[in-house]
Structures are given as C-alpha cells and as structure tokens.
Amino acid sequence: MIRYWYMLLADMLLTALGIIIGLMLRLEVFYIGQPLFGYFLRIIWPYILITALIHPMVFYFTGIYSLMWRYATTNDFLRLSFSILLGTLIMVPITLLVLFPRYMITFPRSLLILEGVFSLLFLGGLRVLLMLTERYSGDINWRAVNLPSPRRALIVGAGEAGAQMIRELTQNPQLGLKPVAALDDDFHKIGRRIRGLPIYGPIAKLLEVVKINNIDEVVIAMPSAP
C-alpha cells in the first residue's frame, strides 16, 4: 500500500514536471526565473493540478498500478501508453470547455500535445527504470552465492523464444549458462543484437560461430524446430 502511494505521488510530480518543461519549450524560455514564464505558470496552475490528478486516476482504473514492472511485457507498455493517451484526451475538453476561459484567461493549446509527449516520456521512463531495478524481498542475491564458472551458451533462434531464453539465463546464473551470442537464419536479424548479444547466421554456420565465440553449449530456442 505504501508503494502505491509512492508511485501515485511520483506520477503526479512527473506529470507536473512534464507540463512545466512543455511550457518552457512553448514559450522558448530557458530558465524558470523569466517573467513571461512566471506569468503563464500563475495562470495555468489549475490545468497543472487537474492533469496531475487525472493521470493517476486513469492509471488506477486501467490497472497500471497493479502491474509488476520487473516482468513487464510489450503489452504492459502498450497499456501504459494507452492510459497516458486517455488521460491526455480527457484533459482536452476539461481544459477547453471548463478551465478556459472561466478559470484561466489564456492557455497555449499546443501545451495539450506537449503534456502528452512528456507524460509518455517521464511516466514511461519511470516504469522502464522499475523494470531494470525493481527487486523483491524473496529474491536471491546471486552475486553473493558461490557459483561455478558458467558455461558459454549460444542461443539458436533470435526470436521471441530466444529473447526469453536469454533473459532467463541472465537472471538465473544458478543454471550455469552464460548466453554470449545468438544464431538465426533470418538475414534481417543477422548482424544486429538481441538483448545485447550479437546475432550470427545463417544456422548452417553453427560450427564456425561455436569456434569464434568459444561456445560450450548450444541452446535451441526455436519452438518450430523439429
């Protein structure tokens, strides 16, 4: 429960920060002490406050706060993007039909777009940071465990299954395998990287790749393979 309130507060602050930076870009000011910036900031404070409340409310109803970001998938980030877009779209009629001009004598309309962009950048960036750093009390600190030297592994298949295999082996050193390279027949993938590992190919060059990378074990990550 405490973590939920921390996340909610962080989302509110990052949303407000995104609006402030967007306003600076819109007004072409480079520090907050400029009179023009202070003038607009005093005017649009109702918009900042309500927007900072709307995004967490949308996140609550779309289930964003219930997700475990350490294990986030592409669909989770798509849901996050949709939630941010929904919050931004909700603010459009609220801003143009309610806040302006009743509570704000002026309002730069391009700020509605800038707010959405920076909210996606900041709120999404926070979740990426959580995915990279989030840990739980039951997790094992593998750095403190005395493990034998891992065997160098070549992952055959640079698709979704290959990416999951690389992640599994990287996060579980007790398995004794260290992924160092991937192999695939798709020429669009050859020469690129998957989760930081170089992709070689085609698969017919397996023995050559094994020698080049001093591979100890080959792991097949191709669900369609016979």
Side-chain angles (χ1 to χ4, degrees), residues 208-219:
E208 179 182 336
V209 175
V210 165
K211 293 179 180 179
I212 293 175
N213 292 276
N214 298 317
I215 299 299
D216 298 309
E217 188 163 336
V218 175
V219 179

Side-chain angles (χ1 to χ4, degrees), residues 53-106:
L53 293 173
I54 286 293
H55 278 305
M57 289 177 59
V58 173
F59 284 1
Y60 176 81
F61 286 108
T62 55
I64 296 299
Y65 289 123
S66 64
L67 296 175
M68 296 178 65
W69 290 100
R70 177 179 176 180
Y71 307 110
T73 64
T74 301
N75 288 335
D76 293 330
F77 281 101
L78 288 176
R79 185 197 296 188
L80 174 65
S81 301
F82 169 77
S83 300
I84 294 173
L85 176 61
L86 180 59
T88 299
L89 292 177
I90 291 175
M91 283 306 302
V92 173
I94 292 178
T95 302
L96 300 182
L97 300 180
V98 180
L99 297 180
F100 175 75
R102 179 176 296 181
Y103 299 102
M104 299 183 299
I105 60 175
T106 185

Side-chain angles (χ1 to χ4, degrees), residues 6 10 17 21 30 34 74 80 92 112 119-120 123 138 143 150 204 215 220:
Y6 279 144
L17 178 62
I21 294 178
F30 302 101
Q34 292 191 11
T74 301
L80 174 65
V92 173
L112 292 169
S119 290
L120 182 62
L123 302 182
R143 295 181 179 179
I215 299 299
I220 298 177

Side-chain angles (χ1 to χ4, degrees), residues 4 37 45 51 55 94 105 109 122 126 149 165 170 180 209:
Y4 166 76
F37 174 77
W45 71 264
T51 305
H55 278 305
I94 292 178
I105 60 175
R109 291 171 175 79
F122 291 161
L126 175 61
S149 299
M165 179 62 69
T170 302
V180 295
V209 175

Side-chain angles (χ1 to χ4, degrees), residues 119-189:
S119 290
L120 182 62
L121 179 63
F122 291 161
L123 302 182
L126 175 61
R127 270 69 188 182
V128 171
L129 181 64
L130 288 176
M131 184 179 69
L132 297 175
T133 62
E134 193 172 44
R135 294 294 179 268
Y136 301 101
S137 58
D139 290 348
I140 298 176
N141 182 9
W142 293 111
R143 295 181 179 179
V145 178
N146 186 19
L147 294 173
S149 299
R151 293 166 59 81
R152 295 171 62 84
L154 172 66
I155 310 300
V156 179
E160 183 64 30
Q164 292 181 7
M165 179 62 69
I166 294 169
R167 179 178 180 179
E168 184 72 15
L169 294 179
T170 302
Q171 294 185 348
N172 294 278
Q174 78 279 13
L175 297 175
L177 293 176
K178 177 184 178 182
V180 295
L183 193 66
D184 203 282
D185 273 333
D186 190 343
F187 71 92
H188 291 103
K189 300 177 182 178

